[in-house]
Amino acid sequence: MPRLGNCLCLALSALLAGGCTTATHEGDVAASTAAALNASFVPAGQAGLDRLQQDDTQRWCTAAHGRPLPQDVAAKIESANLATIRYPADGHLTGDWRKGERIAQEGRGKQFSDDPSGPAGANCYACHRLSATELSFGTLGPSLYQYGKLRGNSVGVQRYTFGKIYNSEAFAACSNMPRFGYKAILSEQQIKDVTALLLDPASPVNQ
Amino acid sequence: MNVAHGLFALLALFVTPVALAQDATSDEIAKYRAELQKDNPAELWETRGEGIWQEKRGPRQVSLQRCDLGLGEGVVKGAYARLPRYFPDADRVQDLETRLLWCMVRLQGYTEAEARRQPFGDGNEHKSDLEALTAYVASQSRGSTMEVSLRHPKEVEAYRLGEALFFFRAGTHDFACATCHGEDGKRIRLQDLPNLTTAEGAAKAYTTWPAYRVSQGELRTFEWRLYDCFRQQRFPELVLGSDVAIALTMYLARNANGATFDAPGIKR
Amino acid sequence: MADPMKIRASLVGDSTEVKVLMSHEMESGQRKDAQGQTIPAWFIKNVTVTCNDRTVLSAQWGTAVSKNPFLSFKFKGGAKGDKITVTWTDTRGDTRTDVAAIA
Amino acid sequence: MDRRRREWMQSRGGVALVAVLAAAGWLKPARGETQLWNSAAFDSHSDGDALKALGSGGPTPSKDIVFFQTPEIAENGAVVPIGVTSNIPKTESIAILIEKNPNVLAAVFDIPSGTEPTIATRVKMAQTSNVHALVRADGKYFLATKEVKVTLGGCGG
C-alpha cells in the first residue's frame, strides 16, 4: 500500500516549489516541528517539556519516517545503544517470574497521570503474546510464548534477554520497543524479573 | 507423505488451539461491539449540544447560530466533514473545537479562560459543553463525504507539520504516533490499531470520532483522542487547539478524504 | 438539572417498540476518586413508562445498571401519535420526565 | 428445604443468590404504587439476613426464558447488553441478577398485561459471571442462566 505522505509530498513539492528530500528541507521541518511542539504542550505531573527533547537515537529514527534504515545508520544506532547496557554487578541476570508476570501485565508508569512514586510496569502484554492463558495480548511485537523453551536458559540467552529489555535499540535499530533500562522505566531488579518470566522453565510463558 | 498428511501438517502449523481461541474471542467481541452500535448514548450529548448551540449565552447573550464554521453563519450541516480549514478572520487553520472557542470568545464575549474552562468531561458529573457542541456539529455531517482542502498555504503547512509529527519519536518510551499506527493488522492488547498512514486506516479512524467511550461513559472528541494518545506516549499535556493538535487533525482528516463521515461512533 | 432523555417509540406490526436512553451517572458506590475516597452511590431507582395514561412498564433498578442507561421493550395497543411518557427518580430524589409521540 | 431447592443451590453454589431470589420473592408489584423499591433485594450481597427469608420455593429452571442481545464475551464490563424474553404465560415480572457482582440484583421489570414479556437493558459486570433471568409468572418463579465473560481492557484508556 502506498504511503499517503510520500504521494502527497510529491504533489505538495510542486505546489510549494520545494523538494521533499533535500537536506535543507528536512532541517526546516525538524526546526518547525520542534517549535510547534514547544508551543503546544504544557508540563503535567511528572512529564515536563524536556520529554520533547530528542536524543540521537530518537532523532535518527524520526528521520527514517518508518522507511528502512540505511545500513550504516542502523549500525551506528545499535552500537551507540549497546554501549549503554549495564549488566547486574552481582552477576545474576534473572529474578522472580511471578513478579515478572505482574510487571508484564502492568501498563501504568511515566504517564503524566501516573503516580511517580510507584514502580512503572512494562506492559509487555500490550504488544506481545506471553503466557498461553492470557488472551488479551497485542501483536505489535512478536509472540514470546515459549520464549525460554525454544532457546534454553543458558547464560548467553539470559544475557541477550536482559540486554534486549534493557535497551532494545542495541539489537534492532528503531525498534518499537521502549528502552526499559536505559530510560530508567524499569529497575535492574524488575528487568531481572521479566527476564525470569521469559526464561524460567516454571514460568507460564514456557508451559 | 501423502497430500492429506501434508495438508494436515500445514494446518497444524497455522491453526493452533490458541489461534482458534483467539479467533473465537475476536468474533464474540465483534458481536458485542455491533450490539452497542445500535443505541449509542452519544445521542444524549448531541441533544445537549444542539441546545447549547441554539441558546443565547455569554456576556453578549448571543447564540452560536451566528458562528461561521466555514460554510457560512450558522451552517452546521456538512461543516465537520470539511474541517480543519483556514479561516481568514482568525488567519489560522482551525479544527471544530478551536473554531467553537473562537466564536465563544469573539461572538458571545466569553474570556479565553472561560471558554476553555472544561474542554473534556471528567467522567463524573462535570460534563463538557465543548464535547456536547462537538457531538452535535459532528452529527450533522453523518453521511457527508470527507472533503478537507489543501488550497491555502497554511492548510498545506498544517498537513506537512502533521505528517512530521506523526513520526516524531520522543519521551521516556521512544513512542511516536507511528509506533502503534504505522502498520496494518496490529493490535494493542485486544484492540485493533488502524494504520493511519494509509487512506483506509485514516478513514476508518477519523470518520468514527467523536465517539461515546464505553469505558468512561463519556462522549470523546478527536481533540481528546490526540490528548490521550500523547498521555500514553508519555509526552507532556497537549494544549487544546494548539498547532500540534490542529496539524495532526489536518493530517488524518485530509488522509480520510473521500470517505463517508459516520460519527459520533461508539468505542471501547 | 438532569439532561433530557432520548425516547424513540415506533410501531412495529401491532406492537409499539420503546427505546430510551437516559443521562445519568449511575454511580455504584464502589468506585474511588483520585484521592482514594469512595464516591457515594447515586443511581436511578425507579422508572415508569406510560402510554397516554396507561402504565406500560415499571422498573426498579440497582447500582448495576450501566451509566447513561438504556431500556427497550414492546407493548401492544399503541397508536401513532400516542404520548409516551418516561419518568425516572434517583437516590437523591431528583426526577426527570420526558415525552415523545409514537411515530 | 426441599430437595430440588438444595440441588439448585449446590449447582449454582450461590447462597447469596438464593437469598436475593427470596428477597425478590417479596416483590409484589404494587399497582399504582410506582415508587416501590425493594431495598432488601437490592442490598443483598451476604447470606446472613436474607437466608432467614428463604420462605418461598426455589425457582424452576426454564427453557422458556431466552436471552437475546446478550454477548458471550463483553469487551468491557461497564456496559453489557442483556435482553430477556419470557415465553411463560402470565409473566408478571422479569429480574436480572449477576451472581458475582457486589450487589447481585441489577434490575426488576414489572410487566403489566398488554406489555410483551421482553426487555433489554445494559448492565455493569465486575467480572466474568453467571447472569440469571428470574421470571415470575402466575405467582411462580422460573429461572434461566447464561455465563458472560468479561475481558480486560486495553492499555489504560
Side-chain angles (χ1 to χ4, degrees):
Chain A
M1 191 160 313
R3 283 188 180 266
L4 280 159
N6 295 345
C7 308
L8 193 86
C9 189
L10 290 173
L12 290 177
S13 307
L15 196 78
L16 297 180
C20 273
T21 49
T22 62
T24 37
H25 173 70
E26 300 248 322
D28 288 351
V29 168
S32 61
T33 303
L37 282 160
N38 281 318
S40 298
F41 287 85
V42 290
Q46 58 181 297
L49 292 184
D50 56 314
R51 293 219 181 156
L52 303 172
Q53 300 295 322
Q54 291 179 307
D55 65 18
D56 286 344
T57 299
Q58 291 170 336
R59 198 172 300 113
W60 292 326
C61 293
T62 295
H65 254 221
R67 294 181 292 263
L69 289 168
Q71 262 187 343
D72 58 327
V73 178
K76 191 167 62 172
I77 291 170
E78 287 169 11
S79 66
N81 281 284
L82 192 61
T84 70
I85 301 178
R86 299 281 169 268
Y87 290 95
D90 65 5
H92 296 297
L93 292 157
T94 71
D96 180 346
W97 67 260
R98 288 173 195 82
K99 288 180 185 155
E101 168 71 11
R102 285 199 291 277
I103 294 163
Q105 290 278 6
E106 178 59 61
R108 274 173 300 226
K110 303 290 184 194
Q111 297 169 127
F112 63 68
S113 51
D114 293 328
D115 177 357
S117 67
N123 211 11
C124 309
Y125 282 101
C127 301
H128 297 283
R129 180 178 172 218
L130 289 109
S131 78
T133 50
E134 178 55 88
L135 291 179
S136 180
F137 60 83
T139 58
L140 284 159
S143 170
L144 301 175
Y145 177 55
Q146 300 199 325
Y147 179 93
K149 200 169 183 175
L150 296 169
R151 291 169 181 77
N153 196 5
S154 67
V155 173
V157 171
Q158 289 181 9
R159 211 175 147 77
Y160 166 75
T161 305
F162 183 98
K164 175 79 183 177
I165 300 166
Y166 192 98
N167 190 337
S168 59
E169 303 277 344
F171 307 95
C174 302
S175 162
N176 283 334
M177 181 167 151
R179 295 172 283 177
F180 290 103
Y182 174 63
K183 288 287 198 169
I185 300 163
L186 299 180
S187 68
E188 181 183 281
Q189 185 57 49
Q190 284 180 302
I191 298 175
K192 288 182 180 187
D193 293 337
V194 177
T195 303
L197 176 69
L198 289 168
L199 293 175
D200 195 313
S203 155
V205 168
N206 296 317
Q207 302 314 306
Chain B
M1 205 202 295
N2 64 30
V3 175
H5 275 118
L7 191 66
F8 182 78
L10 196 69
L11 281 173
L13 204 62
F14 292 107
V15 190
T16 64
V18 170
L20 283 174
Q22 197 59 46
D23 285 351
T25 303
S26 303
D27 286 355
E28 288 304 327
I29 285 178
K31 279 192 228 164
Y32 166 83
R33 288 175 187 165
E35 193 53 52
L36 290 188
Q37 291 292 341
K38 292 179 194 164
D39 297 278
N40 187 345
E43 288 183 38
L44 297 166
W45 274 257
E46 294 169 26
T47 306
R48 193 163 62 86
E50 186 175 10
I52 299 169
W53 176 262
Q54 290 165 353
E55 198 188 329
K56 288 183 173 136
R57 302 170 93 223
R60 294 196 197 125
Q61 287 296 296
V62 183
S63 104
L64 285 171
Q65 285 165 307
R66 284 190 39 213
C67 180
D68 181 356
L69 300 177
L71 302 179
E73 262 189 29
V75 179
V76 176
K77 194 94 195 149
Y80 195 85
R82 290 173 176 81
L83 289 167
R85 71 190 299 155
Y86 173 78
F87 286 88
D89 54 4
D91 189 28
R92 195 178 172 220
V93 175
Q94 295 178 314
D95 64 354
L96 177 64
E97 289 94 316
T98 317
R99 188 64 187 170
L100 288 170
L101 288 176
W102 202 89
C103 287
M104 286 165 81
V105 172
R106 304 299 145 103
L107 263 173
Q108 297 183 312
Y110 287 110
T111 64
E112 185 77 22
E114 283 166 349
R116 289 174 168 273
R117 196 178 48 84
Q118 189 161 20
F120 310 127
D122 68 352
N124 293 312
E125 271 183 78
H126 304 104
K127 297 201 174 72
S128 160
D129 288 352
L130 204 54
E131 279 179 333
L133 283 166
T134 305
Y136 164 62
V137 174
S139 76
Q140 297 301 302
S141 280
R142 197 188 291 279
S144 299
T145 301
M146 288 296 303
E147 206 182 317
V148 174
S149 133
L150 287 183
R151 278 187 293 270
H152 194 278
K154 288 202 174 180
E155 292 168 343
V156 176
E157 195 187 314
Y159 182 93
R160 298 182 77 156
L161 176 61
E163 188 190 14
L165 288 163
F166 189 83
F167 293 95
F168 183 83
R169 278 167 78 120
T172 55
H173 284 54
D174 302 330
F175 289 156
C177 304
T179 307
C180 287
H181 296 290
E183 284 180 85
D184 288 340
K186 296 293 182 185
R187 262 188 5 217
I188 188 158
R189 286 281 186 168
L190 282 176
Q191 271 66 57
D192 295 324
L193 296 163
N195 179 354
L196 301 177
T197 65
T198 67
E200 291 89 336
K204 199 176 164 195
Y206 192 80
T207 59
T208 53
W209 289 96
Y212 182 75
R213 198 67 192 266
V214 166
S215 50
Q216 303 173 358
E218 286 277 5
L219 183 290
R220 293 308 194 188
T221 60
F222 196 72
E223 281 266 2
W224 177 87
R225 177 60 282 175
L226 293 173
Y227 173 92
D228 207 55
C229 272
F230 277 120
R231 179 182 68 85
Q232 292 178 308
Q233 262 174 261
R234 275 72 182 175
F235 278 38
E237 195 171 357
L238 181 67
V239 175
L240 186 100
S242 60
D243 287 348
V244 165
I246 288 168
L248 278 166
T249 305
M250 185 57 144
Y251 175 63
L252 292 167
R254 169 71 190 197
N255 287 355
N257 257 11
T260 304
F261 189 73
D262 189 25
I266 189 164
K267 293 172 191 278
R268 177 186 74 81
Chain C
M1 201 187 74
D3 291 323
M5 294 179 234
K6 192 90 192 176
I7 304 169
R8 280 205 183 87
S10 48
L11 287 175
V12 182
D14 61 349
S15 293
T16 301
E17 183 179 50
V18 181
K19 290 182 164 193
V20 190
L21 281 165
M22 306 170 197
S23 182
H24 203 282
E25 291 303 306
M26 297 303 284
E27 194 59 63
S28 67
Q30 310 279 342
R31 297 197 313 151
K32 290 193 163 62
D33 65 17
Q35 285 74 45
Q37 302 291 309
T38 300
I39 305 171
W42 172 38
F43 56 94
I44 293 173
K45 294 172 81 169
N46 287 97
V47 181
T48 309
V49 186
T50 61
C51 174
N52 294 335
D53 289 324
R54 166 183 146 217
T55 298
V56 288
L57 191 80
S58 56
Q60 299 174 45
W61 285 356
T63 54
V65 172
S66 298
K67 182 170 176 174
N68 300 316
F70 170 71
L71 167 66
S72 161
F73 69 100
K74 284 180 190 172
F75 69 90
K76 287 199 183 348
K80 208 166 182 150
D82 280 1
K83 215 169 73 175
I84 299 294
T85 306
V86 184
T87 300
W88 59 249
T89 308
D90 71 15
T91 49
R92 290 181 184 171
D94 285 343
T95 184
R96 166 132 205 140
T97 298
D98 288 280
V99 181
I102 299 178
Chain D
M1 202 189 277
D2 67 40
R3 190 164 150 262
R4 197 178 68 203
R5 155 154 290 278
R6 225 173 13 248
E7 280 173 2
W8 183 82
M9 275 182 67
Q10 282 159 0
S11 70
R12 303 285 166 219
V15 174
L17 175 64
V18 172
V20 172
L21 299 185
W26 302 339
L27 203 87
K28 306 263 188 276
R31 299 283 173 200
E33 158 77 270
T34 54
Q35 299 307 308
L36 177 88
W37 195 76
N38 190 324
S39 55
F42 280 104
D43 291 344
S44 290
H45 43 76
S46 69
D47 42 8
D49 286 350
L51 264 178
K52 282 186 240 156
L54 277 174
S56 65
T60 310
S62 173
K63 289 194 166 58
D64 292 323
I65 305 170
V66 185
F67 287 95
F68 66 97
Q69 294 177 359
T70 309
E72 300 284 332
I73 301 174
E75 189 175 19
N76 196 308
V79 180
V80 184
I82 306 279
V84 178
T85 295
S86 166
N87 295 315
I88 302 167
K90 297 187 182 170
T91 291
E92 297 155 350
S93 73
I94 298 173
I96 296 168
L97 302 95
I98 297 148
E99 197 173 302
K100 292 200 180 154
N101 269 10
N103 297 314
V104 176
L105 182 58
V108 183
F109 299 88
D110 289 334
I111 314 287
S113 67
T115 295
E116 295 182 19
T118 176
I119 53 98
T121 187
R122 293 170 179 172
V123 301
K124 295 173 227 172
M125 290 181 64
Q127 56 181 305
T128 296
S129 169
N130 279 331
V131 174
H132 305 286
L134 174 72
V135 167
R136 197 182 69 184
D138 204 14
K140 298 187 191 69
Y141 288 87
F142 302 89
L143 189 94
T145 300
K146 179 185 169 85
E147 190 191 45
V148 177
K149 294 190 182 71
V150 176
T151 70
L152 274 179
C155 71

